[in-house]
Structures are given as C-alpha cells and as structure tokens.
Amino acid sequence: MLVSLKWLRDYVDLPDDLDVEAFAERLTMAAAEVEGIERVGGWDRDLVTVAEVLSVDPHPNADRLVLATVEYGAGEPHTVVCGAPNVAAGQRVAFAREGASLVDPRSGESATLKAARIRGVDSSGMVLSERELGLSEEHEGILELPGDAPVGTPLADYLGDVVLDVHTWPNRADMMSMAGIAREAAAILGVAMRLPDGEPPEGDQAVEDAAAVAIADPDLCARYIATVIEGITVGPSPRWMQERLQAAGQRPINNVVDVTNYVMLELGNPLHAFDADRLRGTVVVRLAREGERLTTLDGEDRELSDDTLLITDDSGPIALAGVMGGLESEVHEGTTRVLLEAAQFDPASIRRTSTRLRLRSEASSRFERGLSPELAAHASRRATQLLVEVCGGTARRGAVDVYPRPQRTASVALERSRLDTVLGFHVPDAEVASALGALGFAVAPEGGEQGRAERFLVAAPWWRTDVAIPDDLAEEVVRIAGYDRLPATTVRGRVPSYEPAPLPALRDRVRRALAAAGLQEVISYSLTTDEALRRVRPAAELEASAPLRLRNTLSSEHEVLRTSLRHSLLETVDRNLRAGADEIAIFEAGRVYAPRRGADGPLPDEREVVAGALCGADRDRWGSPLERALGFFDAKGVLDELSERLGVAFEYEPHEEHGLLAGRCAQVGIGGAPVGVLGEVHPDTLEAFGVEQPVALFELDLAALLAASPGRRSAEPVPRFPAVEQDVALVVDEGVPAGALQALIEQSRLVAGARVFDVYRGEQLPAGKKSIAFAIRYQAPDRTLTSEDANREQARILQRLAREHGAEQRA
C-alpha cells in the first residue's frame, strides 16, 4: 500500500522536521514493513514556486502565444512567454525561473530551464504543466493551483510529498487504509489521531422509498448498506482528491468513482456506486445460478459458477460481490442518481471468486483479509458526505442497512504472569494500559497488590478483527513498547506439564487391543466416491445430507469426504480375497466427516471411528482351517475382548442397520448409551463389492465410547473361595436372543458370570427351535459352594427361564 505522508498529516500531527527514514524504521519495527520511500516533487526550492498570474496579454508576433505577467514572491512582476490555452489572470500557478531543473515534455528527460528569445520577446521563466513537473503526462495546459495557494511558497513545500510503500500483513485488514496507518503512527509517536466526522446532509425523502436490499446468505454477506444520492453531476473530481489518488497509485476517473476509491483508501472499506436508474427492483446478495453470466466493468463476459457471490436485482446479476461491478449498471456521464453500496463479504468467497476469474482488484484484496462489518457504516456515511460535496445533489434520508448478525467485539483477559512470560521482560502496568489505549483498546486493570495489576480486562476496538487470545494482546504491547527492549538471555522456564488428550489416548488403546486380538490394521484414504458410499449408506440419507465434495480433485476415485469406514473395509476384504487370502481379520481407526448444515457452519463434523471386518474360515488352536466361516459371534468375541481390556461392559441389543443382515445385527452400548453397531453384512451389499463370502463387521464411535466409559477402573479383590462351573444347554424359540437368557442367569446372587459357548440348530430339534449352551460360574463371597449348592441354584434359574422365556433344558 502506498502511504502519502502529506495525506497522513490530515489524521495525525507529524513533526515538521520529521526524519522520514527514522519514521519508516519505527513503523517497520512496530506495525508494517516499509519496503520503499519515494520523494515526489524534488524541485529547487528557490527557483520553482507558487505564483499568481496578474495579467495575460497577446504576443505581438504570434497568435497562439501570450505574455503572462506573474508575481512569484520577489516583489517585482515577471513577464514570460506562454503557449498554454488555459492561462488566465487571477490564477495561482507553478512558476519556474531560469536554472530550474524540469522534465522536457518531448523527451521525458531532465533538462535545465534556460532564458530564450521567443518570436522576438525575451523570456526567462515558465508557467508549468503537470508534465514539466513530472506529476503526470498531462501537458496540454498549465497546472492550475487552488486559489488559496500561498504566493511565493516553494512548490516542493506546497505540492511535494513523501510516499511510503508499506507491506501490510494478511491478518491486519485494518491497516489497508490511511486511517489504519494513522492509528499506528499516532500510537508510535505518542500523539493524537483524528478522523473526519460529521453526518452527510440529507433531504426530506426517505431512502426506503428508492431502494430495497435483501441478503440471501448471511454467512457470505454479513452486512449491506445502501444510500441513494440524487441530482448529482458526473464530472472531474477536485484537484486535491486527484492528487491523493495519484499518490496512492490510483487513476482518477470521475468524481463519483473517485469518491468511492478515495474512501476505500482513507478508511479501508471498498465501495461501489451503481447508476440507480439502471437498477430494477430489490438489490439481492446471493450465489450465482446455473447458466448466469455477467459482463464486468473491464468489458469481459464472464461465466459464473454456483459458488460465485453476486449483487443482483430483478433483472439478474449487476456486480461480482467484492470484486468488480457490472458494465450495465456503471456510472456514466449522464448519471444523475446513484445507489452507493457499502458491505462486508466473506473473505474465502471473495478470494475464491477473484482467483477463479483471475480478477484481482483493490477491493478484493481488502475483503480477502476480513473487514469488520462496523466499518461499512463509517465508510457509507463518509462517502455519502463526499458525494454530496463533490458531485452536488441530495442524499435521501437514512440508509438501508441489512445487518442480520451484529458483530461482537472481542473481550480478552490478559494475565500479568502470561504477559511477562511471553515478553520475557516486565512492562509496567501504566505502560501496558497506555500502549493498548493508544491502539484503541479499552483496558481495565484488575486485582493485584500494592498497586500492581494481576490481570488486564481488554476490549478490542471494532476494527481489530484479528484479536482473539491473550497472546495477541502481548504482541500489541511489545511492538509499541519496542522489540529492542527484549533481553538477550538463554532459553529458560520449566517444561510444560502433561495435558491429557482422552480421545487420542482411547484410540491408541483400542488399536492396541484389536491388534492383540489378532486383527491387522489397515489405513485408507479419507476421500472416496459417491458410488462407494451409496453401497453402504441409505440413498435417502446421502440425498438429505450430501457428503462434502472436493473442488479440484486429482482423481475420480477421490471426490468426496467419507462418511463411513465400512466401504473401505469391504474394498480391502475384496482385494485380499482376490489375492488368495483364506482368513481376513482387519480394522481401521480413522475419521469420518459428517456434513453440517444451517447455523453449524460449512465445516464437517469430524468423528473418530474404529471399524473392523472378519471374513473367511475359522481356525483351530493349531492354525488349521475349519469348515465353519467367521461370523457374527466371532466379531462379538473380538468386541468382548476389547471391552475386557478397556474395563467396560458392552451390551448388545437387537438392531436394524442399512447394509447389515436382519437378525444378525446388534446395537453395541454401555449402560444404555449406544456406542456402535455389530452385524453380518447383507448379501446384496457384499455383491456390490464383489465379495462372495460372509463378512462380519463392527463399528464403534470413539467419542460416544469415551463418554459412556467410566472415568477410572476400580480393582476388585481376588475371591477368597473357589468357584463352581457348570454347563447347561437350553432349547428356546428361534426368536429368543441369547443375551436375554444370559442377563436372566446373571441376576442370580450366586452367579459370578455366564457365557455362551455354543448355538445349535439341526434335525434333532423341533422346527423353529435352537439350543444355546451356557457356561455358568457359581461363586459365593463368604463360603465355598458345593456341587449340590450349584445344582439347587441352577434349578431355580431354570424355573425362571422356563417361566419367562419358555426355555427347556436339553439333555
């Protein structure tokens, strides 16, 4: 950003004898890096001055030349030959005498002004144009100075300037303006800062009768303000405004556009002026629709994607929000009514649009940094005021201000101990308050003894959108106090204490437990395809909550963020079966990404999940394959072993889940809280992945598992008396779950535990019946149980099982 020190003096009192190099160094160390210094108007102070044209007389020997008599402060008038068509008596002009170094308008090179005899008349001076002064390429006429320009003042003092090329950091959107640099300069120099104030003069007619505004997506447009100025005259802007725009690297266009650019440079908020007579209906901020196009001010017809934020009216797009206006609604010479836009747009949206369209602008570079919505109101008032002053006309009363979610300024508590730790040296309380106060922060010291503050309660000003944590405030203090005060010491301090991370710790414990159970860990990509997800998730679910899609994918196989681990496990099973594996036991621990909608924002809900899959033939204790295939109960056995290692008790309830086989699916829970699912994969799902063997699958939500798990595992004393174990086989209806029988058995006060070790279905049983074999362990805390005790207790248990579930003991 180019910063004119002459313009800067309007807001902050810089010393008359300012050492520019020293000031640039202080600004670099405390605020923003000064990358260059340019001195504009290095004219000779004695030979180039402000002068007044006293009279203009015809040249005796030339029709196109005149004799201009000027007073330049020497007390005696001086007559020179002049060929400019716009020279007139009473003007204040720039005048150079013999010996001055000027720019030759023909060659563009520096040349020394010499006395000459022109068509018979001696001339030893020159009334100057902008080209001869090196201000611009304009040389058709002389440079006319304001009528109050002091005669005899060196032109270097009146028009000269020093321009700093300042690099501002991406997080400091507030410094992309003269006001932002002025705040920093005032704090560095310890002087007051002032900004133009006052309300624009308004007419009697309300702005609501001439303009209406709507924001379709408040996430992309936080605020939109519209004012209407009528009866304006479009023409050149005042000389002072053009000079400032040129010093900042902007080309003057007309008074309306120049005002919007001037206020953008002054306050930092980009503005846009529409020809109000070319607008139709309500101004709406929304995303582009399919097939929409817009011809921008540079004459390019642009195709718009559905993520392009637009300013529209009833006829369609009229501007690229925060980037560039549209050609159809631009201000032109015949414009008499202007709708002035001041808004705040989402930085990411503006960056995305400007990058995709390769359309970088001064406006987009500011919006991309994240401006405060409050700034829009200040810029709107200032620009409306200048439009009335510079363009004439009348501003309608009030403003259409759509502000769905007003900004809350950040409030941060800065502990004195934290400040000293971060800085490495002590800054007195008064200096801390002074430094922050000079930057616009509201500071309230709190606590402490003997007049020393224990902490500072700090409220950030509305323009500081980058302040959020105590360390941000520490940075503000040290840059004003001076980095040169940092002591040169060796690194010291204690090692930070351990901060527990329960979820990652649980994930690692689960991974180790599953590996110990014989499963192998696999790792897959977080990105997948819509087709893969449709195989394992219901179509309605994917339509209602579509997975997040990658914009610039490098592969068609990696298009969307996964919402499940099941597809990757089944794909791995398929690849291993094709490679000849006869037993597969795998698991994966990773994140899945559930889309958020509405007020939760655009980022996904990232959940830590562990899923496992078993497939192939079971093996005996010697590793030889058995005829029985791995299935539901094998996967349940893995979870039982996991629960034992974690010190929790998994509960299993009948469940129905898309992609899993009915009757072979259970919800896994702890204390009634669901934490996962277990089941055999449905044949249709297996077919979709090309798997021809049964697959048992489980999936656990680690966050739910952590929430349901007890905080600590308690140790139980070793039983003093031995246990008695007995087996019993129960014949029940096919629909009776083994878990219900087990729960009833374990209700007995003498039963220490029961487990299923066999389920039989065959010709020896009636149709619709099954046999479930339990191993029951009997134990008493105060005595040794005998076989007779166990038999009597078993009889009571069988009676209850028969009564509640119709169970019969199988011989």
Side-chain angles (χ1 to χ4, degrees):
M1 177 180 173
L2 300 180
V3 177
S4 162
L5 294 189
K6 187 176 180 180
W7 190 357
L8 190 64
R9 292 179 186 274
D10 282 1
Y11 314 114
V12 63
D13 292 326
L14 300 178
D16 294 335
D17 58 347
L18 178 69
D19 185 333
V20 176
E21 283 73 15
F23 174 71
E25 177 66 19
R26 293 188 66 181
L27 194 62
T28 296
M29 294 302 296
E33 181 180 3
V34 178
E35 297 181 329
I37 300 174
E38 180 186 0
R39 286 176 167 81
V40 179
W43 309 292
D44 190 300
R45 296 175 57 84
D46 296 327
L47 300 179
V48 183
T49 59
V50 176
E52 180 181 4
V53 180
L54 300 179
S55 63
V56 178
D57 299 311
H59 192 288
N61 303 317
D63 294 336
R64 296 186 178 182
L65 300 178
V66 296
L67 302 180
T69 303
V70 300
E71 164 59 41
Y72 60 90
E76 295 183 3
H78 194 90
T79 300
V80 297
V81 177
C82 179
N86 63 328
V87 64
Q91 289 176 330
R92 301 291 168 93
V93 295
F95 179 71
R97 289 181 289 135
E98 181 182 357
S101 180
L102 302 172
V103 175
D104 186 330
R106 295 182 180 85
S107 66
E109 302 292 333
S110 177
T112 300
L113 180 63
K114 299 178 181 179
R117 187 173 180 82
I118 305 174
R119 303 292 293 270
V121 177
D122 293 330
S123 179
S124 58
M126 180 181 289
V127 181
L128 303 171
S129 68
E130 293 184 20
R131 172 67 169 159
E132 289 151 346
L133 289 168
L135 295 177
S136 73
E137 298 299 318
E138 178 61 43
H139 64 91
E140 296 299 324
I142 63 170
L143 170 64
E144 296 182 51
L145 300 178
D148 58 355
V151 175
T153 300
L155 193 67
D157 293 343
Y158 186 73
L159 284 185
D161 197 0
V162 177
V163 178
L164 306 181
D165 187 357
V166 179
H167 171 75
T168 56
W169 307 115
N171 65 322
R172 290 298 305 274
D174 61 296
M175 288 186 62
M176 290 285 286
S177 65
M178 295 299 299
I181 298 296
R183 291 189 188 98
E184 298 296 323
I188 293 170
L189 299 175
V191 298
M193 182 229 178
R194 56 189 174 272
L195 281 176
D197 54 8
E199 295 293 330
E202 297 177 339
D204 297 330
Q205 294 181 311
V207 68
E208 290 81 4
D209 297 335
V213 174
I215 298 176
D217 192 342
D219 290 332
L220 299 180
C221 179
R223 191 175 193 180
Y224 194 100
I225 302 174
T227 58
V228 175
I229 303 92
E230 300 174 325
I232 68 168
T233 300
V234 177
S237 56
R239 180 69 204 173
W240 62 267
M241 182 175 288
Q242 293 188 35
E243 289 176 358
R244 293 186 173 182
L245 291 175
Q246 289 169 343
Q250 291 282 320
R251 178 176 62 89
I253 298 175
N254 60 51
N255 49 7
V256 175
V257 177
D258 289 354
V259 164
T260 61
N261 288 334
Y262 181 87
V263 175
M264 176 186 70
L265 295 169
E266 181 182 52
L267 300 181
N269 199 111
L271 304 161
H272 187 71
F274 297 97
D275 185 327
D277 290 327
R278 294 185 173 184
L279 302 182
R280 299 291 179 267
T282 302
V283 174
V284 180
V285 186
R286 61 168 174 82
L287 289 173
R289 296 166 183 162
E290 184 177 356
E292 285 189 316
R293 307 182 70 90
L294 174 67
T295 301
T296 47
L297 288 172
D298 56 2
E300 291 289 332
D301 180 35
R302 301 184 184 274
E303 182 179 356
L304 307 175
S305 63
D306 59 3
D307 62 347
T308 302
L309 189 63
L310 298 176
I311 311 300
T312 68
D313 65 3
D314 292 354
S315 65
I318 57 176
L320 294 173
V323 179
M324 184 174 285
L327 190 63
E328 292 297 323
S329 59
E330 74 168 329
V331 173
H332 56 95
E333 293 181 357
T335 297
T336 58
R337 298 175 66 244
V338 165
L339 183 144
L340 178 68
E341 166 196 286
Q344 195 277 326
F345 302 112
D346 175 63
S349 174
I350 301 304
R351 173 72 176 177
R352 188 163 52 243
T353 297
S354 63
T355 301
R356 186 179 64 81
L357 297 178
R358 298 180 181 179
L359 192 58
R360 304 283 294 166
S361 65
E362 288 286 340
S364 66
S365 67
R366 285 167 171 80
F367 281 123
E368 288 169 7
R369 297 170 186 246
L371 299 174
S372 167
E374 296 297 321
L375 179 59
H378 296 268
S380 177
R381 287 194 296 270
R382 174 64 167 158
T384 302
Q385 178 187 21
L386 287 176
L387 284 172
V388 172
E389 293 177 3
V390 172
C391 307
T394 304
R396 281 186 173 254
R397 186 180 71 255
V400 179
D401 187 354
V402 182
Y403 196 5
R405 305 167 188 165
Q407 175 194 17
R408 295 182 179 180
T409 57
S411 296
V412 182
L414 175 61
E415 300 289 338
R416 162 54 75 176
S417 59
R418 180 60 182 173
L419 178 63
D420 292 345
T421 299
V422 172
L423 300 190
F425 69 98
H426 181 81
V427 179
D429 293 351
E431 189 175 354
V432 171
S434 174
L436 293 175
L439 293 170
F441 293 84
V443 185
E446 187 178 83
E449 299 177 355
Q450 300 179 351
R452 295 182 178 179
E454 181 178 338
R455 70 182 61 85
F456 301 91
L457 300 181
V458 182
W462 56 262
W463 60 84
R464 291 300 300 273
T465 58
D466 60 305
V467 174
I469 61 176
D471 288 3
D472 292 334
L473 298 176
E475 180 184 4
E476 299 299 306
V477 172
V478 71
R479 67 187 185 86
I480 299 301
Y483 289 108
D484 54 348
R485 292 170 59 179
L486 290 169
T489 61
T490 57
V491 177
R492 63 181 186 271
R494 63 183 182 84
V495 176
S497 59
Y498 167 73
E499 295 186 6
L503 192 59
L506 175 62
R507 181 188 59 214
D508 291 340
R509 290 175 62 197
V510 171
R511 291 173 60 239
R512 288 194 297 269
L514 293 176
L519 278 69
Q520 292 183 315
E521 184 174 8
V522 299
I523 300 175
S524 63
Y525 288 107
S526 298
L527 295 166
T528 184
T529 63
D530 289 310
E531 176 61 29
L533 291 179
R534 280 195 291 267
R535 296 173 186 172
V536 295
R537 310 301 300 181
E541 176 184 311
L542 294 176
E543 291 177 2
S545 185
L548 276 76
R549 186 170 301 278
L550 195 66
R551 290 194 182 280
N552 299 314
T553 178
L554 298 179
S555 169
S556 59
E557 296 180 354
H558 303 141
E559 295 178 330
V560 297
L561 283 171
R562 65 188 179 191
T563 59
S564 172
L565 297 180
R566 300 180 193 179
H567 68 282
S568 60
L569 289 176
L570 292 174
E571 288 170 350
T572 304
V573 168
D574 176 54
R575 284 195 297 270
N576 280 270
L577 288 175
R578 293 178 184 276
D582 55 7
E583 181 189 14
I584 301 169
I586 58 175
F587 77 93
E588 180 172 5
R591 291 184 179 179
V592 298
Y593 305 87
R596 297 179 191 250
R597 291 294 181 264
D600 292 331
L603 295 179
D605 178 17
E606 301 183 26
R607 296 190 297 114
E608 293 276 0
V609 173
V610 172
L614 282 72
C615 178
D618 193 10
R619 293 180 181 271
D620 61 18
R621 67 179 64 186
W622 310 111
S624 301
L626 301 174
E627 293 184 2
R628 187 181 70 83
L630 295 171
F632 176 90
F633 290 105
D634 297 286
K636 178 178 179 295
V638 172
L639 290 182
D640 288 340
E641 183 170 345
L642 173 63
S643 68
E644 187 173 338
R645 288 179 177 271
L646 296 179
V648 298
F650 284 155
E651 303 163 352
Y652 304 94
E653 295 290 338
H655 185 61
E656 291 186 3
E657 181 88 4
H658 178 81
L660 299 182
L661 196 59
R664 289 280 178 165
C665 179
Q667 179 177 274
V668 184
I670 300 176
V675 299
V677 67
L678 161 69
E680 292 186 6
V681 182
H682 196 281
D684 292 344
T685 302
L686 293 177
E687 183 180 357
F689 286 93
V691 178
E692 299 177 355
Q693 300 184 34
V695 176
L697 182 145
F698 64 85
E699 190 175 55
L700 298 176
D701 186 323
L702 291 184
L705 179 59
L706 179 64
S709 300
R712 290 185 177 181
R713 296 182 62 178
S714 57
E716 295 183 359
V718 177
R720 296 175 56 194
F721 302 98
V724 176
E725 290 194 7
Q726 290 185 345
D727 298 343
V728 61
L730 302 174
V731 177
V732 294
D733 291 338
E734 187 66 46
V736 177
L741 302 176
Q742 181 178 345
L744 188 57
I745 293 172
E746 291 180 341
Q747 288 179 6
S748 170
R749 62 183 181 84
L750 293 182
V751 174
R755 62 181 178 85
V756 177
F757 68 87
D758 186 46
V759 177
Y760 173 76
R761 297 176 179 86
E763 297 178 355
Q764 299 181 18
L765 295 177
K769 297 288 186 178
K770 63 182 176 181
S771 172
I772 304 176
F774 290 91
I776 305 174
R777 184 161 54 91
Y778 300 92
Q779 195 166 38
D782 54 355
R783 62 189 178 92
T784 300
L785 294 179
T786 64
S787 297
E788 289 76 10
D789 296 329
N791 291 336
R792 284 193 296 271
E793 187 62 26
Q794 185 182 99
R796 286 192 288 269
I797 291 172
L798 291 174
Q799 290 177 0
R800 292 187 60 191
L801 290 171
R803 184 170 59 252
E804 296 190 18
H805 296 289
E808 298 178 358
Q809 184 175 6
R810 183 184 178 200

